[in-house]
Amino acid sequence: MNESSGPLAGVNVLDLTRILAGPSCTQLLGDLGASILKIENPATKGDDTRTWGPPFVQSTDDRATDISSYFAAANRNKRSVAVDFTTRSGQETIRRLARQADILVENYRPGGLIKYGLNYDSLAIEFPHLIYCSISGFGQTGPNCGKPGYDLLAQGFGGIMSLTGEPDGPPMKVGVGIADVMCGMYACVGILAALRHREQTGEGQMIDLALVDTQVAWLVNEGVNYLTSRKVPKRLGNAHPNITPYEIFETCDGHVIVAVGNDNQFRRFCNAIECPELADEPRYATNPNRLANRDTLIPIIQSVLKTKTKGAVITILEAADISVGPVLPLDEVFASSQVEERKMKIEMTSKDADIHLIGNPLKFSKTPITYRFPPPRFGADTDRILGSDQPFSEDSSKGGVKHNM
Protein backbone atom coordinates (compact mmCIF):
# COMPACT_ATOMS: atom_id res chain seq x y z
CA MET A 1 0.00 0.00 0.00
CA ASN A 2 1.65 3.22 -1.17
CA GLU A 3 -1.08 5.72 -1.86
CA SER A 4 -2.37 7.62 1.15
CA SER A 5 -6.04 7.45 2.01
CA GLY A 6 -5.60 8.92 5.47
CA PRO A 7 -7.28 12.02 6.90
CA LEU A 8 -4.23 14.16 5.97
CA ALA A 9 -3.91 12.89 2.40
CA GLY A 10 -2.87 15.81 0.21
CA VAL A 11 -1.10 17.68 3.01
CA ASN A 12 2.58 18.31 2.22
CA VAL A 13 5.22 18.47 4.97
CA LEU A 14 8.79 19.68 4.62
CA ASP A 15 10.69 18.00 7.45
CA LEU A 16 13.92 19.68 8.56
CA THR A 17 14.11 17.80 11.85
CA ARG A 18 16.39 15.17 13.33
CA ILE A 19 16.80 13.12 16.54
CA LEU A 20 13.36 12.35 18.08
CA ALA A 21 10.93 15.19 18.96
CA GLY A 22 10.61 16.54 15.42
CA PRO A 23 10.80 13.18 13.63
CA SER A 24 8.16 11.66 15.92
CA CYS A 25 5.85 14.57 15.05
CA THR A 26 6.35 14.23 11.30
CA GLN A 27 6.07 10.42 11.42
CA LEU A 28 2.67 10.82 13.07
CA LEU A 29 1.62 13.27 10.36
CA GLY A 30 2.84 10.77 7.77
CA ASP A 31 0.90 7.92 9.39
CA LEU A 32 -2.18 10.14 9.11
CA GLY A 33 -1.60 10.41 5.37
CA ALA A 34 0.52 13.53 4.90
CA SER A 35 3.34 13.43 2.36
CA ILE A 36 6.66 13.92 4.19
CA LEU A 37 9.95 14.96 2.60
CA LYS A 38 12.75 14.49 5.12
CA ILE A 39 15.61 16.88 4.36
CA GLU A 40 18.97 15.44 5.44
CA ASN A 41 22.40 17.03 5.53
CA PRO A 42 24.97 15.41 3.19
CA ALA A 43 27.82 16.66 5.40
CA THR A 44 26.65 14.47 8.30
CA LYS A 45 25.20 11.69 6.12
CA GLY A 46 21.79 12.47 7.46
CA ASP A 47 19.92 12.41 10.73
CA ASP A 48 22.22 11.98 13.74
CA THR A 49 20.25 8.95 14.92
CA ARG A 50 21.18 6.92 11.83
CA THR A 51 24.37 6.06 13.75
CA TRP A 52 22.76 5.66 17.19
CA GLY A 53 23.25 1.93 17.43
CA PRO A 54 23.59 -0.98 17.61
CA PRO A 55 21.19 -2.46 16.81
CA PHE A 56 20.98 -1.63 13.11
CA VAL A 57 18.54 -2.93 10.54
CA GLN A 58 20.23 -5.64 8.49
CA SER A 59 19.84 -5.88 4.73
CA THR A 60 18.71 -9.12 3.13
CA ASP A 61 22.36 -9.97 2.39
CA ASP A 62 23.08 -9.51 6.12
CA ARG A 63 24.96 -6.23 5.84
CA ALA A 64 24.33 -3.41 8.29
CA THR A 65 22.35 -0.52 6.80
CA ASP A 66 22.46 3.16 7.72
CA ILE A 67 19.17 2.65 9.54
CA SER A 68 19.55 2.20 13.29
CA SER A 69 16.60 0.92 15.26
CA TYR A 70 16.46 4.35 16.91
CA PHE A 71 16.15 6.05 13.51
CA ALA A 72 13.61 3.47 12.33
CA ALA A 73 11.39 4.16 15.33
CA ALA A 74 10.52 7.70 14.16
CA ASN A 75 11.04 7.86 10.40
CA ARG A 76 8.61 5.67 8.48
CA ASN A 77 6.26 7.18 5.91
CA LYS A 78 8.96 9.63 4.81
CA ARG A 79 11.21 10.02 1.81
CA SER A 80 14.82 11.13 2.29
CA VAL A 81 16.16 14.06 0.28
CA ALA A 82 19.82 15.07 0.66
CA VAL A 83 20.14 18.87 0.60
CA ASP A 84 22.93 21.07 1.97
CA PHE A 85 21.03 24.24 2.82
CA THR A 86 24.19 26.00 3.98
CA THR A 87 24.80 26.60 0.27
CA ARG A 88 22.93 29.07 -1.92
CA SER A 89 21.71 26.31 -4.22
CA GLY A 90 20.53 24.27 -1.24
CA GLN A 91 18.61 27.24 0.15
CA GLU A 92 16.93 27.73 -3.22
CA THR A 93 16.00 24.04 -3.23
CA ILE A 94 14.34 24.36 0.18
CA ARG A 95 12.44 27.45 -0.96
CA ARG A 96 11.27 25.63 -4.10
CA LEU A 97 9.96 22.78 -1.98
CA ALA A 98 8.42 25.21 0.51
CA ARG A 99 6.36 26.69 -2.34
CA GLN A 100 4.36 23.46 -2.49
CA ALA A 101 4.52 22.63 1.21
CA ASP A 102 1.69 23.19 3.68
CA ILE A 103 3.87 22.66 6.74
CA LEU A 104 7.56 23.07 7.59
CA VAL A 105 8.90 21.53 10.79
CA GLU A 106 12.42 22.30 12.05
CA ASN A 107 14.29 21.80 15.32
CA TYR A 108 17.36 24.01 15.12
CA ARG A 109 18.43 26.40 17.87
CA PRO A 110 16.46 29.65 17.88
CA GLY A 111 17.94 31.96 15.27
CA GLY A 112 19.98 29.17 13.69
CA LEU A 113 18.24 29.33 10.31
CA ILE A 114 18.18 33.11 9.91
CA LYS A 115 21.51 33.26 8.08
CA TYR A 116 20.16 30.81 5.50
CA GLY A 117 16.92 32.72 4.99
CA LEU A 118 14.96 29.70 6.21
CA ASN A 119 13.52 31.13 9.42
CA TYR A 120 9.79 31.80 9.69
CA ASP A 121 9.92 35.57 9.17
CA SER A 122 11.91 35.15 5.95
CA LEU A 123 9.78 32.37 4.49
CA ALA A 124 6.44 33.86 5.56
CA ILE A 125 6.97 36.86 3.27
CA GLU A 126 7.06 34.63 0.23
CA PHE A 127 4.84 31.83 1.54
CA PRO A 128 2.16 33.36 3.80
CA HIS A 129 0.20 30.09 3.66
CA LEU A 130 3.03 28.14 5.34
CA ILE A 131 2.54 26.61 8.79
CA TYR A 132 5.99 26.72 10.36
CA CYS A 133 6.61 24.65 13.50
CA SER A 134 9.86 25.34 15.34
CA ILE A 135 10.91 22.89 18.06
CA SER A 136 13.77 23.78 20.42
CA GLY A 137 15.02 23.01 23.89
CA PHE A 138 13.79 26.15 25.63
CA GLY A 139 11.74 27.99 23.00
CA GLN A 140 12.25 31.21 21.06
CA THR A 141 12.18 33.48 24.12
CA GLY A 142 13.35 33.43 27.74
CA PRO A 143 16.77 33.50 29.38
CA ASN A 144 17.67 29.98 28.19
CA CYS A 145 16.45 30.27 24.61
CA GLY A 146 19.93 29.98 23.09
CA LYS A 147 20.86 26.82 24.95
CA PRO A 148 20.76 23.41 23.29
CA GLY A 149 18.20 20.95 24.54
CA TYR A 150 18.09 17.17 24.67
CA ASP A 151 15.47 14.90 26.19
CA LEU A 152 17.52 14.20 29.33
CA LEU A 153 18.06 17.90 29.98
CA ALA A 154 14.35 18.57 29.53
CA GLN A 155 13.45 15.76 31.94
CA GLY A 156 15.81 17.27 34.49
CA PHE A 157 14.92 20.95 34.04
CA GLY A 158 11.20 20.22 33.71
CA GLY A 159 10.89 18.31 36.98
CA ILE A 160 9.93 14.77 35.96
CA MET A 161 13.25 13.31 37.14
CA SER A 162 12.71 14.75 40.62
CA LEU A 163 9.49 12.71 40.80
CA THR A 164 10.85 9.47 39.37
CA GLY A 165 12.80 6.84 41.32
CA GLU A 166 12.78 5.29 44.75
CA PRO A 167 12.34 7.58 47.78
CA ASP A 168 15.90 6.98 48.99
CA GLY A 169 17.46 6.83 45.53
CA PRO A 170 18.71 9.45 43.05
CA PRO A 171 16.48 11.28 40.56
CA MET A 172 15.74 9.00 37.64
CA LYS A 173 14.91 9.59 33.99
CA VAL A 174 12.07 7.76 32.27
CA GLY A 175 13.29 4.71 30.35
CA VAL A 176 12.52 6.19 26.91
CA GLY A 177 12.86 9.73 25.52
CA ILE A 178 9.45 10.72 26.80
CA ALA A 179 10.09 14.49 26.82
CA ASP A 180 10.94 14.30 23.12
CA VAL A 181 7.96 12.11 22.30
CA MET A 182 5.48 14.28 24.19
CA CYS A 183 6.92 17.38 22.55
CA GLY A 184 6.39 15.73 19.17
CA MET A 185 2.78 14.97 20.05
CA TYR A 186 2.14 18.56 21.18
CA ALA A 187 3.72 19.71 17.91
CA CYS A 188 1.37 17.50 15.92
CA VAL A 189 -1.66 18.82 17.82
CA GLY A 190 -0.54 22.41 17.23
CA ILE A 191 -0.01 21.78 13.52
CA LEU A 192 -3.46 20.26 13.13
CA ALA A 193 -5.00 23.27 14.90
CA ALA A 194 -3.05 25.62 12.63
CA LEU A 195 -4.31 23.72 9.58
CA ARG A 196 -7.86 24.27 10.80
CA HIS A 197 -7.16 28.00 11.22
CA ARG A 198 -5.74 28.19 7.71
CA GLU A 199 -8.83 26.49 6.28
CA GLN A 200 -10.90 29.30 7.77
CA THR A 201 -8.60 32.26 7.05
CA GLY A 202 -5.97 31.23 4.49
CA GLU A 203 -3.27 32.28 6.94
CA GLY A 204 -0.23 30.28 7.90
CA GLN A 205 1.50 30.91 11.21
CA MET A 206 4.45 29.99 13.38
CA ILE A 207 4.27 27.47 16.22
CA ASP A 208 6.98 27.93 18.86
CA LEU A 209 7.38 24.74 20.88
CA ALA A 210 9.94 23.94 23.59
CA LEU A 211 10.93 20.58 25.06
CA VAL A 212 11.01 22.10 28.54
CA ASP A 213 7.60 23.78 28.15
CA THR A 214 5.96 20.54 27.13
CA GLN A 215 7.73 18.66 29.92
CA VAL A 216 6.38 21.15 32.46
CA ALA A 217 2.91 20.86 30.87
CA TRP A 218 2.71 17.12 31.49
CA LEU A 219 3.68 17.26 35.14
CA VAL A 220 -0.14 17.18 35.39
CA ASN A 221 -1.40 16.23 38.86
CA GLU A 222 2.00 16.43 40.58
CA GLY A 223 2.63 19.88 39.14
CA VAL A 224 -0.76 21.11 40.28
CA ASN A 225 -0.30 19.33 43.63
CA TYR A 226 2.71 21.57 44.18
CA LEU A 227 1.01 24.74 42.94
CA THR A 228 -1.92 24.04 45.28
CA SER A 229 0.01 23.06 48.41
CA ARG A 230 3.43 24.66 47.77
CA LYS A 231 4.90 21.43 49.10
CA VAL A 232 7.65 19.96 46.89
CA PRO A 233 6.64 16.36 46.05
CA LYS A 234 8.98 13.57 47.01
CA ARG A 235 9.80 10.50 44.98
CA LEU A 236 7.45 7.63 45.75
CA GLY A 237 8.91 4.87 43.61
CA ASN A 238 5.96 3.04 42.07
CA ALA A 239 3.40 4.48 44.48
CA HIS A 240 0.85 7.15 43.52
CA PRO A 241 0.86 10.60 45.15
CA ASN A 242 -2.93 10.92 45.34
CA ILE A 243 -4.43 7.44 45.73
CA THR A 244 -3.46 4.23 47.51
CA PRO A 245 -3.04 1.28 47.12
CA TYR A 246 -1.82 1.98 43.61
CA GLU A 247 1.60 0.44 43.05
CA ILE A 248 3.61 -2.70 42.44
CA PHE A 249 3.44 -5.53 44.96
CA GLU A 250 5.69 -8.55 45.28
CA THR A 251 4.16 -12.03 45.19
CA CYS A 252 5.89 -15.30 45.93
CA ASP A 253 6.84 -15.70 42.27
CA GLY A 254 6.96 -12.21 40.75
CA HIS A 255 5.32 -8.80 40.84
CA VAL A 256 1.85 -7.48 40.11
CA ILE A 257 0.41 -4.01 39.66
CA VAL A 258 -2.62 -3.20 41.82
CA ALA A 259 -4.63 -0.02 41.19
CA VAL A 260 -7.45 0.76 43.62
CA GLY A 261 -9.18 3.95 42.49
CA ASN A 262 -11.90 4.61 45.07
CA ASP A 263 -13.37 3.54 48.40
CA ASN A 264 -15.81 1.01 46.94
CA GLN A 265 -12.96 -0.63 45.04
CA PHE A 266 -10.92 -0.72 48.24
CA ARG A 267 -13.66 -2.63 50.03
CA ARG A 268 -13.86 -5.16 47.18
CA PHE A 269 -10.07 -5.42 47.21
CA CYS A 270 -9.99 -6.13 50.94
CA ASN A 271 -12.68 -8.80 50.61
CA ALA A 272 -10.80 -10.40 47.71
CA ILE A 273 -7.56 -10.72 49.69
CA GLU A 274 -9.54 -11.96 52.73
CA CYS A 275 -8.83 -8.89 54.86
CA PRO A 276 -12.33 -7.31 55.09
CA GLU A 277 -11.46 -5.66 58.39
CA LEU A 278 -9.14 -3.23 56.60
CA ALA A 279 -12.08 -1.60 54.82
CA ASP A 280 -13.82 -0.99 58.15
CA GLU A 281 -10.74 0.41 59.85
CA PRO A 282 -11.21 4.23 60.09
CA ARG A 283 -7.55 4.82 59.21
CA TYR A 284 -8.10 3.13 55.84
CA ALA A 285 -11.80 3.55 55.05
CA THR A 286 -11.37 6.65 52.85
CA ASN A 287 -8.71 7.55 50.34
CA PRO A 288 -7.47 10.66 52.24
CA ASN A 289 -7.09 8.50 55.35
CA ARG A 290 -5.34 5.77 53.40
CA LEU A 291 -2.87 8.34 52.08
CA ALA A 292 -2.27 9.69 55.58
CA ASN A 293 -1.66 6.15 56.86
CA ARG A 294 0.09 4.71 53.82
CA ASP A 295 3.11 3.70 55.93
CA THR A 296 1.05 1.22 57.94
CA LEU A 297 -1.42 0.07 55.28
CA ILE A 298 1.03 -0.89 52.52
CA PRO A 299 3.13 -3.26 54.69
CA ILE A 300 -0.07 -5.15 55.62
CA ILE A 301 -1.01 -5.59 51.98
CA GLN A 302 2.56 -6.56 51.09
CA SER A 303 2.60 -9.29 53.73
CA VAL A 304 -0.65 -10.78 52.43
CA LEU A 305 0.18 -10.70 48.71
CA LYS A 306 3.68 -12.06 49.22
CA THR A 307 2.16 -15.37 50.31
CA LYS A 308 0.29 -15.82 47.02
CA THR A 309 1.39 -16.52 43.48
CA LYS A 310 1.24 -13.84 40.81
CA GLY A 311 -1.41 -15.79 38.93
CA ALA A 312 -3.54 -16.24 42.04
CA VAL A 313 -3.48 -12.51 42.85
CA ILE A 314 -4.46 -11.60 39.30
CA THR A 315 -7.27 -14.18 39.29
CA ILE A 316 -8.87 -13.11 42.58
CA LEU A 317 -8.59 -9.38 41.90
CA GLU A 318 -9.93 -9.65 38.35
CA ALA A 319 -12.89 -11.59 39.77
CA ALA A 320 -13.47 -8.66 42.13
CA ASP A 321 -13.24 -6.18 39.21
CA ILE A 322 -10.06 -4.58 40.55
CA SER A 323 -7.45 -3.27 38.12
CA VAL A 324 -4.53 -5.67 38.31
CA GLY A 325 -1.87 -6.83 35.91
CA PRO A 326 1.64 -8.15 35.40
CA VAL A 327 4.85 -6.25 34.75
CA LEU A 328 5.93 -7.57 31.35
CA PRO A 329 9.38 -7.47 29.75
CA LEU A 330 9.38 -6.44 26.11
CA ASP A 331 9.60 -9.97 24.74
CA GLU A 332 6.33 -10.79 26.48
CA VAL A 333 4.78 -7.45 25.49
CA PHE A 334 5.32 -8.07 21.77
CA ALA A 335 4.37 -11.75 22.04
CA SER A 336 1.04 -10.95 23.68
CA SER A 337 -2.23 -11.64 21.90
CA GLN A 338 -3.37 -8.12 22.83
CA VAL A 339 -0.53 -6.49 20.89
CA GLU A 340 -1.14 -8.91 18.01
CA GLU A 341 -4.87 -8.26 17.87
CA ARG A 342 -4.41 -4.47 18.04
CA LYS A 343 -1.75 -4.54 15.30
CA MET A 344 0.83 -2.77 17.45
CA LYS A 345 3.65 -4.76 15.86
CA ILE A 346 4.21 -4.31 12.12
CA GLU A 347 6.77 -5.27 9.51
CA MET A 348 7.71 -3.09 6.56
CA THR A 349 9.70 -4.42 3.63
CA SER A 350 11.84 -2.37 1.26
CA LYS A 351 14.07 -3.49 -1.61
CA ASP A 352 16.75 -4.96 0.64
CA ALA A 353 15.55 -5.01 4.25
CA ASP A 354 12.74 -6.16 6.50
CA ILE A 355 12.10 -3.64 9.26
CA HIS A 356 10.12 -4.46 12.40
CA LEU A 357 8.30 -1.47 13.87
CA ILE A 358 5.76 -0.45 16.48
CA GLY A 359 2.32 0.26 15.04
CA ASN A 360 0.31 3.44 15.35
CA PRO A 361 -2.35 3.23 18.10
CA LEU A 362 -4.96 5.36 16.29
CA LYS A 363 -7.86 3.31 14.95
CA PHE A 364 -10.09 5.20 12.48
CA SER A 365 -13.37 3.78 11.21
CA LYS A 366 -13.27 5.73 7.91
CA THR A 367 -9.70 6.90 7.24
CA PRO A 368 -7.31 4.25 8.58
CA ILE A 369 -3.63 4.72 9.26
CA THR A 370 -1.45 3.74 6.29
CA TYR A 371 2.12 2.46 6.28
CA ARG A 372 3.39 3.47 2.85
CA PHE A 373 7.15 3.94 3.09
CA PRO A 374 9.64 2.16 5.38
CA PRO A 375 12.31 4.27 7.11
CA PRO A 376 14.45 5.42 4.17
CA ARG A 377 18.12 5.04 3.41
CA PHE A 378 19.93 8.38 3.47
CA GLY A 379 19.18 10.42 0.35
CA ALA A 380 17.38 7.53 -1.32
CA ASP A 381 14.75 9.75 -2.92
CA THR A 382 16.87 12.81 -3.76
CA ASP A 383 17.05 12.47 -7.52
CA ARG A 384 13.43 11.45 -7.97
CA ILE A 385 12.07 14.21 -5.73
CA LEU A 386 14.25 17.06 -6.94
CA GLY A 387 13.77 16.04 -10.57
CA SER A 388 9.99 16.26 -10.32
CA ASP A 389 7.75 19.29 -10.72
CA GLN A 390 5.42 17.61 -8.19
CA PRO A 391 7.96 16.69 -5.50
CA PHE A 392 5.42 15.76 -2.83
CA SER A 393 3.49 13.38 -5.05
CA GLU A 394 3.71 9.82 -3.76
CA ASP A 395 2.66 8.26 -7.07
CA SER A 396 6.21 8.24 -8.41
CA SER A 397 7.32 5.96 -5.56
CA LYS A 398 4.78 3.22 -6.17
CA GLY A 399 6.19 -0.26 -6.35
CA GLY A 400 8.94 -1.93 -4.39
CA VAL A 401 7.48 -1.15 -0.99
CA LYS A 402 4.92 -3.14 0.94
CA HIS A 403 3.95 -3.58 4.55
CA ASN A 404 2.75 -6.53 6.56
CA MET A 405 0.84 -6.31 9.81
Side-chain angles (χ1 to χ4, degrees), residues 152 155-156 159-166 169-175 235:
L152 182 60
Q155 288 198 39
I160 192 67
M161 287 179 66
S162 75
L163 305 175
T164 307
E166 293 300 322
M172 188 69 64
K173 74 177 182 68
V174 179
R235 288 185 293 282

Side-chain angles (χ1 to χ4, degrees), residues 86-207:
T86 66
T87 67
R88 186 173 298 277
S89 63
Q91 293 156 24
E92 180 52 39
T93 295
I94 298 299
R95 298 176 81 85
R96 180 168 68 85
L97 295 173
R99 188 170 291 111
Q100 296 189 37
D102 298 290
I103 300 156
L104 186 151
V105 188
E106 58 90 2
N107 61 348
Y108 289 84
R109 286 197 206 184
L113 295 180
I114 292 176
K115 59 187 174 183
Y116 307 124
L118 300 178
N119 58 310
Y120 173 71
D121 289 340
S122 297
L123 291 178
I125 296 171
E126 188 174 355
F127 312 117
H129 72 284
L130 190 64
I131 295 166
Y132 188 109
C133 182
S134 180
I135 298 172
S136 60
F138 291 90
Q140 302 294 311
T141 59
N144 295 325
C145 69
K147 294 182 178 180
Y150 282 89
D151 174 87
L152 182 60
L153 295 173
Q155 288 198 39
F157 195 99
I160 192 67
M161 287 179 66
S162 75
L163 305 175
T164 307
E166 293 300 322
D168 56 353
M172 188 69 64
K173 74 177 182 68
V174 179
V176 296
I178 190 65
D180 272 340
V181 172
M182 287 300 297
C183 187
M185 294 187 73
Y186 273 103
C188 192
V189 170
I191 287 167
L192 296 178
L195 278 172
R196 174 63 172 156
H197 173 77
R198 197 183 68 183
E199 287 177 358
Q200 297 172 317
T201 67
E203 298 175 334
Q205 62 180 300
M206 180 177 178
I207 302 168

Side-chain angles (χ1 to χ4, degrees), residues 348-391:
M348 300 190 74
T349 303
S350 65
K351 294 178 180 178
D352 64 351
D354 297 329
I355 306 177
H356 299 273
L357 299 171
I358 299 171
N360 190 302
L362 291 168
K363 316 297 182 189
F364 292 90
S365 64
K366 301 294 185 183
T367 54
I369 293 293
T370 56
Y371 303 110
R372 306 178 306 285
F373 303 105
R377 294 288 193 94
F378 167 67
D381 304 285
T382 304
D383 293 341
R384 183 166 57 248
I385 297 299
L386 298 186
S388 171
D389 58 0
Q390 296 292 324

Side-chain angles (χ1 to χ4, degrees), residues 256-308:
V256 294
I257 296 168
V258 176
V260 176
N262 58 47
D263 297 338
N264 287 333
Q265 289 180 20
F266 183 67
R267 181 169 292 278
R268 297 203 306 273
F269 170 75
C270 294
N271 290 335
I273 66 171
E274 300 179 343
C275 296
E277 69 279 2
L278 292 178
D280 295 320
E281 166 61 53
R283 291 178 298 165
Y284 310 137
T286 67
N287 185 66
N289 285 353
R290 289 195 293 278
L291 283 174
N293 295 284
R294 185 201 304 263
D295 291 348
T296 56
L297 173 62
I298 295 303
I300 295 173
I301 297 173
Q302 288 173 333
S303 66
V304 173
L305 297 188
K306 202 168 182 179
T307 66
K308 305 178 185 299

